Coordinates of all heavy atoms in Angstrom, one line a residue:
M1 N 115.9 99.7 90.2 CA 114.4 99.6 90.3 C 114.1 98.5 91.2 O 114.5 97.3 91.1 CB 113.9 99.3 88.9 CG 112.4 99.2 88.8 SD 111.8 98.7 87.2 CE 112.4 100.1 86.3
S2 N 113.3 98.8 92.2 CA 112.9 97.8 93.2 C 111.6 97.0 92.7 O 110.8 97.6 91.9 CB 112.6 98.4 94.5 OG 111.5 99.3 94.4
V3 N 111.5 95.8 93.1 CA 110.4 95.0 92.7 C 109.4 94.9 94.0 O 109.9 94.5 95.0 CB 110.8 93.6 92.3 CG1 109.6 92.7 92.0 CG2 111.7 93.7 91.1
H4 N 108.2 95.3 93.7 CA 107.3 95.3 94.9 C 106.7 93.9 95.0 O 106.3 93.3 94.0 CB 106.1 96.3 94.6 CG 105.3 96.5 95.8 ND1 105.7 97.5 96.8 CD2 104.2 96.0 96.3 CE1 104.8 97.5 97.7 NE2 103.9 96.6 97.5
V5 N 106.6 93.4 96.2 CA 106.1 92.0 96.4 C 104.7 92.2 97.1 O 104.6 92.8 98.2 CB 107.0 91.2 97.4 CG1 106.3 89.8 97.6 CG2 108.3 91.0 96.7
F6 N 103.7 91.7 96.5 CA 102.3 91.8 97.0 C 102.0 90.6 97.9 O 102.5 89.5 97.6 CB 101.3 91.9 95.9 CG 101.4 93.1 95.1 CD1 102.0 93.1 93.8 CD2 101.0 94.3 95.6 CE1 102.1 94.3 93.1 CE2 101.1 95.5 94.9 CZ 101.6 95.5 93.6
P7 N 101.1 90.8 98.9 CA 100.7 89.7 99.7 C 99.9 88.7 98.9 O 99.1 89.1 98.0 CB 99.9 90.4 100.8 CG 99.4 91.6 100.2 CD 100.5 92.1 99.2
D8 N 100.0 87.4 99.2 CA 99.3 86.4 98.6 C 98.0 86.1 99.4 O 98.0 85.2 100.2 CB 100.2 85.1 98.4 CG 99.5 84.1 97.6 OD1 98.5 84.4 96.9 OD2 99.9 82.9 97.7
L9 N 97.0 86.8 99.1 CA 95.7 86.7 99.9 C 94.5 86.7 99.0 O 94.6 87.2 97.9 CB 95.6 88.0 100.8 CG 96.7 88.2 101.9 CD1 96.5 89.5 102.5 CD2 96.5 87.1 103.0
P10 N 93.5 86.1 99.5 CA 92.2 86.1 98.7 C 91.7 87.6 98.6 O 92.0 88.4 99.5 CB 91.3 85.3 99.5 CG 91.8 85.2 100.9 CD 93.3 85.3 100.7
D11 N 90.9 87.9 97.6 CA 90.4 89.2 97.4 C 89.8 89.8 98.6 O 89.9 91.0 98.8 CB 89.5 89.3 96.2 CG 90.2 89.0 94.9 OD1 91.4 89.0 94.9 OD2 89.5 88.9 93.8
S12 N 89.1 89.0 99.3 CA 88.3 89.5 100.5 C 89.2 90.0 101.6 O 88.8 90.8 102.5 CB 87.4 88.3 101.1 OG 88.3 87.3 101.5
E13 N 90.5 89.7 101.5 CA 91.4 90.2 102.6 C 92.4 91.2 102.0 O 93.3 91.6 102.7 CB 92.2 89.0 103.1 CG 91.4 88.0 103.9 CD 92.2 86.8 104.4 OE1 93.4 87.0 104.7 OE2 91.6 85.7 104.5
L14 N 92.1 91.7 100.8 CA 92.9 92.8 100.2 C 92.3 94.1 100.5 O 91.1 94.2 100.7 CB 93.0 92.5 98.7 CG 93.9 91.3 98.3 CD1 93.9 91.1 96.8 CD2 95.3 91.4 98.9
C15 N 93.1 95.1 100.4 CA 92.7 96.5 100.6 C 91.6 96.8 99.5 O 91.7 96.4 98.4 CB 93.9 97.4 100.4 SG 93.5 99.2 100.6
S16 N 90.6 97.6 99.9 CA 89.5 97.9 99.0 C 89.6 99.3 98.4 O 88.7 99.7 97.7 CB 88.2 97.8 99.7 OG 88.1 98.7 100.8
A17 N 90.8 99.9 98.6 CA 91.0 101.3 98.0 C 91.1 101.1 96.5 O 91.6 100.2 95.9 CB 92.2 101.9 98.6
T18 N 90.6 102.2 95.8 CA 90.7 102.2 94.3 C 91.4 103.4 93.9 O 91.4 104.4 94.5 CB 89.3 102.2 93.7 OG1 88.5 103.3 94.2 CG2 88.6 100.9 94.0
Y19 N 92.2 103.2 92.8 CA 93.0 104.3 92.2 C 92.1 105.5 91.9 O 91.2 105.4 91.1 CB 93.7 103.7 91.0 CG 94.8 104.6 90.4 CD1 95.8 105.1 91.1 CD2 94.7 105.1 89.1 CE1 96.8 105.9 90.6 CE2 95.6 105.9 88.5 CZ 96.7 106.3 89.3 OH 97.7 107.1 88.8
P20 N 92.5 106.6 92.4 CA 91.6 107.8 92.3 C 91.8 108.7 91.1 O 90.9 109.5 90.8 CB 91.9 108.6 93.6 CG 93.3 108.3 93.8 CD 93.6 106.9 93.4
A21 N 92.9 108.5 90.4 CA 93.1 109.4 89.2 C 92.4 109.0 88.0 O 92.3 107.8 87.6 CB 94.6 109.4 88.9
L22 N 91.8 109.9 87.3 CA 91.0 109.7 86.1 C 92.0 109.2 85.0 O 93.1 109.6 84.9 CB 90.3 110.9 85.6 CG 89.2 111.4 86.6 CD1 88.6 112.7 86.0 CD2 88.1 110.3 86.8
G23 N 91.5 108.2 84.2 CA 92.3 107.7 83.2 C 92.1 106.2 83.0 O 91.1 105.7 83.7
P24 N 92.8 105.5 82.2 CA 92.6 104.1 82.0 C 92.7 103.2 83.2 O 92.2 102.1 83.3 CB 93.7 103.7 80.9 CG 94.7 104.8 81.0 CD 94.0 106.0 81.5
D25 N 93.5 103.7 84.2 CA 93.7 102.9 85.4 C 92.7 103.3 86.6 O 92.8 102.7 87.6 CB 95.1 103.1 85.9 CG 96.2 102.8 84.9 OD1 95.9 101.8 84.1 OD2 97.2 103.4 84.8
F26 N 91.8 104.2 86.3 CA 90.9 104.6 87.3 C 90.1 103.4 87.9 O 89.6 102.6 87.1 CB 89.9 105.7 86.8 CG 88.9 106.1 87.7 CD1 89.2 107.0 88.8 CD2 87.6 105.6 87.7 CE1 88.2 107.4 89.7 CE2 86.6 106.0 88.6 CZ 86.9 106.9 89.6
G27 N 90.0 103.4 89.2 CA 89.2 102.3 89.8 C 90.0 101.0 90.1 O 89.5 100.0 90.6
S28 N 91.3 101.0 89.7 CA 92.1 99.8 89.9 C 92.2 99.5 91.4 O 92.5 100.4 92.2 CB 93.5 99.9 89.3 OG 93.4 100.0 87.9
L29 N 92.0 98.3 91.8 CA 92.0 97.9 93.2 C 93.4 97.8 93.8 O 94.3 97.3 93.1 CB 91.3 96.6 93.5 CG 89.8 96.7 93.6 CD1 89.2 95.3 93.5 CD2 89.3 97.4 94.8
C30 N 93.6 98.3 95.0 CA 94.9 98.2 95.6 C 95.2 96.7 95.8 O 94.3 95.9 96.2 CB 94.8 98.9 97.0 SG 96.3 98.7 98.0
N31 N 96.5 96.3 95.6 CA 96.8 94.9 95.8 C 97.5 94.6 97.1 O 98.0 93.5 97.3 CB 97.8 94.5 94.7 CG 97.2 94.5 93.3 OD1 97.6 95.3 92.4 ND2 96.1 93.7 93.1
E32 N 97.5 95.5 98.0 CA 98.0 95.3 99.4 C 97.0 94.6 100.3 O 95.8 94.6 99.9 CB 98.5 96.6 100.0 CG 99.7 97.2 99.3 CD 101.0 96.4 99.7 OE1 100.9 95.3 100.2 OE2 102.1 96.9 99.4
A33 N 97.4 94.1 101.4 CA 96.5 93.5 102.4 C 95.6 94.6 103.0 O 95.9 95.7 103.0 CB 97.3 92.8 103.5
D34 N 94.4 94.1 103.4 CA 93.5 95.0 104.1 C 94.2 95.7 105.3 O 94.9 95.1 106.0 CB 92.3 94.3 104.5 CG 91.1 95.2 104.9 OD1 91.2 96.4 104.5 OD2 90.2 94.7 105.5
K35 N 93.9 97.0 105.5 CA 94.4 97.7 106.6 C 96.0 97.8 106.6 O 96.6 97.9 107.7 CB 94.0 97.1 108.0 CG 92.4 97.2 108.1 CD 92.0 96.6 109.5 CE 90.5 96.7 109.6 NZ 89.8 95.8 108.7
H36 N 96.6 97.8 105.5 CA 98.0 97.9 105.4 C 98.5 99.3 105.7 O 97.7 100.2 105.7 CB 98.5 97.5 104.0 CG 98.1 98.4 102.9 ND1 98.8 99.5 102.5 CD2 96.9 98.5 102.2 CE1 98.2 100.2 101.6 NE2 97.0 99.6 101.3
D37 N 99.8 99.4 106.0 CA 100.4 100.7 106.3 C 100.9 101.3 105.0 O 101.1 100.6 104.0 CB 101.6 100.5 107.2 CG 101.1 100.1 108.6 OD1 100.0 100.6 109.0 OD2 101.8 99.4 109.3
G38 N 101.0 102.6 105.0 CA 101.7 103.3 103.9 C 100.7 103.5 102.7 O 99.5 103.5 102.8
N39 N 101.4 103.7 101.5 CA 100.6 104.0 100.4 C 99.9 102.8 99.7 O 100.3 101.7 99.9 CB 101.6 104.6 99.3 CG 102.2 105.9 99.8 OD1 101.6 106.7 100.6 ND2 103.4 106.2 99.4
H40 N 98.9 103.1 99.0 CA 98.2 102.1 98.2 C 99.0 101.9 96.9 O 99.6 102.8 96.4 CB 96.8 102.5 97.9 CG 95.9 102.8 99.1 ND1 95.6 101.9 100.0 CD2 95.3 104.0 99.5 CE1 94.8 102.4 100.9 NE2 94.7 103.7 100.7
I41 N 99.0 100.6 96.5 CA 99.6 100.3 95.2 C 98.9 99.3 94.5 O 98.4 98.3 95.1 CB 101.1 99.9 95.5 CG1 101.8 99.6 94.2 CG2 101.2 98.7 96.4 CD1 103.3 99.4 94.4
A42 N 98.7 99.5 93.2 CA 98.0 98.5 92.4 C 98.9 98.2 91.2 O 99.6 99.0 90.6 CB 96.7 99.1 91.9
L43 N 98.8 96.9 90.8 CA 99.6 96.4 89.6 C 98.6 96.4 88.4 O 97.6 95.8 88.5 CB 100.1 95.0 89.9 CG 100.9 94.4 88.8 CD1 102.2 95.2 88.5 CD2 101.3 93.0 89.2
V44 N 99.0 97.2 87.4 CA 98.2 97.3 86.3 C 98.9 96.6 85.1 O 100.0 96.9 84.8 CB 97.9 98.8 85.9 CG1 97.1 98.9 84.7 CG2 97.3 99.5 87.1
V45 N 98.2 95.8 84.4 CA 98.7 95.1 83.2 C 98.5 96.0 82.0 O 97.3 96.2 81.6 CB 98.1 93.7 83.0 CG1 98.7 93.1 81.7 CG2 98.5 92.8 84.2
V46 N 99.5 96.6 81.5 CA 99.4 97.5 80.4 C 99.3 96.8 79.1 O 98.4 97.1 78.2 CB 100.6 98.5 80.3 CG1 100.5 99.4 79.1 CG2 100.7 99.2 81.6
A47 N 100.1 95.7 78.9 CA 100.1 94.9 77.7 C 100.7 93.6 78.1 O 101.3 93.5 79.2 CB 100.9 95.6 76.6
P48 N 100.5 92.5 77.3 CA 101.1 91.3 77.6 C 102.6 91.4 77.9 O 103.4 91.9 77.1 CB 100.9 90.4 76.4 CG 99.6 91.0 75.8 CD 99.7 92.5 76.1
G49 N 103.0 91.0 79.1 CA 104.5 91.0 79.4 C 104.9 92.4 79.9 O 106.1 92.6 80.2
Y50 N 104.0 93.3 80.1 CA 104.4 94.6 80.5 C 103.4 95.1 81.6 O 102.2 95.1 81.4 CB 104.4 95.6 79.4 CG 105.0 97.0 79.7 CD1 106.3 97.2 79.8 CD2 104.1 98.0 80.1 CE1 106.8 98.4 80.2 CE2 104.6 99.2 80.4 CZ 106.0 99.4 80.5 OH 106.5 100.6 80.9
R51 N 104.0 95.4 82.7 CA 103.1 95.8 83.8 C 103.6 97.2 84.4 O 104.7 97.6 84.2 CB 103.2 94.8 85.0 CG 102.7 93.4 84.5 CD 102.8 92.5 85.7 NE 102.4 91.1 85.3 CZ 102.3 90.1 86.1 NH1 102.6 90.3 87.4 NH2 102.0 88.9 85.7
R52 N 102.7 97.8 85.1 CA 103.0 99.1 85.7 C 102.3 99.2 87.1 O 101.3 98.7 87.3 CB 102.4 100.2 84.8 CG 102.7 101.6 85.1 CD 102.5 102.4 83.9 NE 101.0 102.5 83.6 CZ 100.2 103.5 84.1 NH1 100.7 104.4 84.8 NH2 99.0 103.5 83.8
Y53 N 103.1 99.8 88.0 CA 102.5 100.0 89.3 C 101.9 101.4 89.4 O 102.5 102.4 88.9 CB 103.6 99.9 90.4 CG 104.2 98.5 90.5 CD1 105.5 98.4 90.3 CD2 103.4 97.4 90.9 CE1 106.1 97.1 90.5 CE2 104.0 96.2 91.0 CZ 105.3 96.0 90.8 OH 105.9 94.8 90.9
V54 N 100.8 101.5 89.9 CA 100.3 102.9 90.2 C 100.2 103.0 91.8 O 99.8 102.1 92.5 CB 98.9 103.1 89.6 CG1 99.0 103.3 88.1 CG2 97.9 102.1 89.9
V55 N 100.6 104.1 92.3 CA 100.7 104.3 93.7 C 100.0 105.6 94.1 O 100.0 106.6 93.4 CB 102.2 104.5 94.1 CG1 102.3 104.6 95.6 CG2 103.0 103.3 93.6
W56 N 99.2 105.5 95.2 CA 98.6 106.7 95.7 C 98.6 106.6 97.3 O 98.6 105.5 97.9 CB 97.2 106.9 95.2 CG 96.1 105.8 95.5 CD1 95.1 106.0 96.4 CD2 96.0 104.5 95.0 NE1 94.3 104.9 96.5 CE2 94.9 103.9 95.6 CE3 96.7 103.7 94.1 CZ2 94.4 102.6 95.4 CZ3 96.3 102.4 93.8 CH2 95.2 101.9 94.5
T57 N 98.5 107.8 97.9 CA 98.5 107.8 99.3 C 97.2 107.6 99.9 O 96.1 107.7 99.2 CB 99.0 109.2 99.8 OG1 98.0 110.2 99.5 CG2 100.3 109.6 99.1
P58 N 97.1 107.3 101.2 CA 95.8 107.2 101.9 C 94.9 108.4 101.8 O 93.7 108.3 101.8 CB 96.2 106.9 103.4 CG 97.5 106.3 103.3 CD 98.2 107.0 102.1
A59 N 95.5 109.6 101.5 CA 94.8 110.8 101.4 C 94.3 111.0 100.0 O 93.6 111.9 99.7 CB 95.6 112.0 101.8
G60 N 94.6 110.1 99.1 CA 94.2 110.2 97.7 C 95.1 110.9 96.8 O 94.7 111.3 95.7
E61 N 96.3 111.2 97.2 CA 97.2 111.9 96.3 C 98.0 110.8 95.5 O 98.6 109.9 96.0 CB 98.2 112.6 97.2 CG 99.3 113.4 96.4 CD 100.3 114.0 97.2 OE1 100.3 113.9 98.5 OE2 101.3 114.6 96.7
V62 N 97.9 111.0 94.2 CA 98.6 110.1 93.3 C 100.0 110.4 93.1 O 100.4 111.5 93.0 CB 97.9 110.2 91.9 CG1 98.6 109.3 90.9 CG2 96.4 109.7 92.0
L63 N 100.8 109.3 93.2 CA 102.3 109.5 93.1 C 102.7 109.0 91.7 O 102.0 108.4 91.0 CB 103.0 108.6 94.2 CG 102.6 108.9 95.6 CD1 103.3 108.0 96.6 CD2 102.9 110.4 96.0
P64 N 103.9 109.5 91.3 CA 104.4 109.1 90.0 C 104.5 107.5 89.9 O 104.8 106.8 90.8 CB 105.9 109.6 90.0 CG 105.8 110.8 91.0 CD 104.9 110.3 92.0
D65 N 104.2 107.1 88.7 CA 104.1 105.6 88.4 C 105.5 105.0 88.6 O 106.5 105.6 88.4 CB 103.7 105.4 87.0 CG 102.2 105.8 86.8 OD1 101.5 106.0 87.7 OD2 101.9 106.0 85.6
E66 N 105.4 103.8 89.0 CA 106.6 102.9 89.0 C 106.4 102.0 87.9 O 105.6 101.1 87.9 CB 106.7 102.1 90.3 CG 107.4 102.7 91.4 CD 107.6 101.7 92.6 OE1 108.3 100.7 92.4 OE2 107.0 102.0 93.6
E67 N 107.3 102.1 86.9 CA 107.1 101.3 85.7 C 108.1 100.1 85.8 O 109.2 100.2 86.3 CB 107.4 102.1 84.4 CG 106.4 103.2 84.2 CD 106.4 103.7 82.8 OE1 107.0 103.1 82.0 OE2 105.8 104.7 82.6
T68 N 107.7 99.0 85.3 CA 108.5 97.8 85.4 C 108.1 96.9 84.2 O 107.0 97.0 83.7 CB 108.4 97.1 86.7 OG1 109.3 96.0 86.7 CG2 107.0 96.5 86.9
S69 N 108.9 96.0 83.9 CA 108.6 95.0 82.9 C 108.4 93.6 83.6 O 108.8 93.5 84.7 CB 109.7 94.9 81.8 OG 110.8 94.3 82.4
L70 N 107.8 92.7 82.9 CA 107.6 91.4 83.5 C 108.9 90.7 83.8 O 109.1 90.0 84.8 CB 106.8 90.5 82.5 CG 106.3 89.2 83.0 CD1 105.5 89.3 84.3 CD2 105.6 88.4 81.9
A71 N 109.9 91.0 82.9 CA 111.2 90.4 83.2 C 111.8 90.8 84.5 O 112.3 90.1 85.3 CB 112.2 90.8 82.0
H72 N 111.6 92.1 84.8 CA 112.1 92.6 86.1 C 111.3 92.0 87.2 O 111.8 91.7 88.3 CB 112.0 94.1 86.2 CG 113.1 94.8 85.4 ND1 112.9 95.6 84.3 CD2 114.4 94.7 85.5 CE1 114.0 96.1 83.8 NE2 115.0 95.5 84.5
A73 N 110.0 91.9 87.0 CA 109.1 91.4 88.1 C 109.4 90.0 88.5 O 109.1 89.6 89.6 CB 107.7 91.6 87.7
Q74 N 110.0 89.2 87.6 CA 110.2 87.8 87.8 C 111.5 87.6 88.6 O 111.6 86.6 89.3 CB 110.3 87.0 86.5 CG 108.9 86.8 85.9 CD 109.0 86.1 84.6 OE1 110.0 86.2 83.9 NE2 107.9 85.5 84.2
G75 N 112.4 88.5 88.5 CA 113.7 88.4 89.2 C 113.7 89.2 90.5 O 113.4 90.3 90.5
Q76 N 114.1 88.5 91.6 CA 114.1 89.2 92.8 C 115.3 90.3 92.8 O 115.1 91.3 93.3 CB 114.3 88.2 94.0 CG 113.2 87.3 94.2 CD 111.9 88.1 94.7 OE1 112.0 89.0 95.4 NE2 110.8 87.7 94.1
T77 N 116.4 89.9 92.3 CA 117.5 90.8 92.2 C 118.0 90.9 90.8 O 118.6 89.9 90.3 CB 118.7 90.3 93.1 OG1 119.0 88.9 92.7 CG2 118.3 90.4 94.6
P78 N 117.7 92.0 90.1 CA 118.2 92.1 88.7 C 119.7 92.1 88.7 O 120.4 92.5 89.6 CB 117.7 93.6 88.4 CG 116.6 93.9 89.3 CD 117.0 93.1 90.6
P79 N 120.2 91.5 87.6 CA 121.7 91.4 87.5 C 122.3 92.7 87.5 O 121.8 93.7 86.9 CB 121.9 90.6 86.2 CG 120.6 90.8 85.4 CD 119.5 90.9 86.4
I80 N 123.5 92.8 88.1 CA 124.2 94.0 88.1 C 124.8 94.3 86.7 O 125.4 93.4 86.1 CB 125.3 94.0 89.2 CG1 124.7 93.7 90.6 CG2 126.2 95.2 89.2 CD1 125.7 93.4 91.6
E81 N 124.8 95.5 86.3 CA 125.3 95.8 85.0 C 126.8 95.5 84.9 O 127.5 95.8 85.8 CB 125.1 97.3 84.7 CG 125.3 97.7 83.3 CD 124.9 99.1 83.0 OE1 124.3 99.7 83.9 OE2 125.3 99.6 82.0
G82 N 127.1 94.8 83.9 CA 128.5 94.4 83.7 C 128.8 93.0 84.3 O 129.9 92.5 84.2
D83 N 127.9 92.5 85.0 CA 128.1 91.2 85.7 C 126.9 90.3 85.5 O 126.3 89.7 86.4 CB 128.3 91.4 87.2 CG 128.7 90.1 87.9 OD1 129.3 89.2 87.2 OD2 128.4 90.0 89.1
Q84 N 126.4 90.3 84.2 CA 125.2 89.5 84.0 C 125.4 88.0 83.9 O 126.4 87.5 83.5 CB 124.6 90.0 82.6 CG 124.0 91.4 82.7 CD 123.1 91.7 81.5 OE1 123.2 91.0 80.5 NE2 122.2 92.6 81.6
V85 N 124.4 87.3 84.5 CA 124.4 85.9 84.5 C 123.7 85.4 83.3 O 122.5 85.8 83.0 CB 123.8 85.3 85.8 CG1 123.8 83.8 85.7 CG2 124.5 85.8 87.0
T86 N 124.2 84.5 82.5 CA 123.6 84.1 81.3 C 122.9 82.7 81.6 O 123.4 82.0 82.4 CB 124.5 83.9 80.1 OG1 125.7 83.1 80.6 CG2 125.0 85.3 79.7
Ligands
ZN101 ZN1 95.7 99.9 99.9

């Protein structure tokens, strides 16, 4: 599972696209920089310590969610199975 890194910018310099699919995440703002390339992506906090990415294309087509946990989001490189660092 890859970890998406969002740009560290003020809201005014972020993409203004909003998640187009109806549901609890409808209207979530894209977290990428303004005029970015590729798909829009928003980080949605589902519950404390649990986050989910929602992704959609510039044409408004919603892609399957990328699910992740806060634990994964904090580590740049998740430990390899069988070689965990304690
Ligand atoms: Zn965007």
Side-chain angles (χ1 to χ4, degrees):
M1 181 183 298
S2 62
V3 176
H4 194 87
V5 178
F6 292 107
D8 185 16
L9 295 169
D11 289 351
S12 61
E13 295 179 29
L14 292 176
C15 180
S16 60
T18 54
Y19 188 59
L22 294 178
D25 303 326
F26 178 77
S28 296
L29 278 169
C30 175
N31 292 119
E32 291 284 14
D34 194 17
K35 299 182 177 65
H36 66 90
D37 292 325
N39 297 331
H40 300 295
I41 180 167
L43 181 61
V44 179
V45 177
V46 179
Y50 186 82
R51 299 179 184 184
R52 187 162 67 91
Y53 296 119
V54 290
V55 183
W56 68 104
T57 70
E61 180 186 358
V62 175
L63 302 180
D65 295 342
E66 270 188 64
E67 297 197 11
T68 186
S69 69
L70 187 59
H72 283 121
Q74 287 175 335
Q76 292 296 320
T77 52
I80 300 168
E81 193 172 348
D83 188 28
Q84 288 197 337
V85 178
T86 53

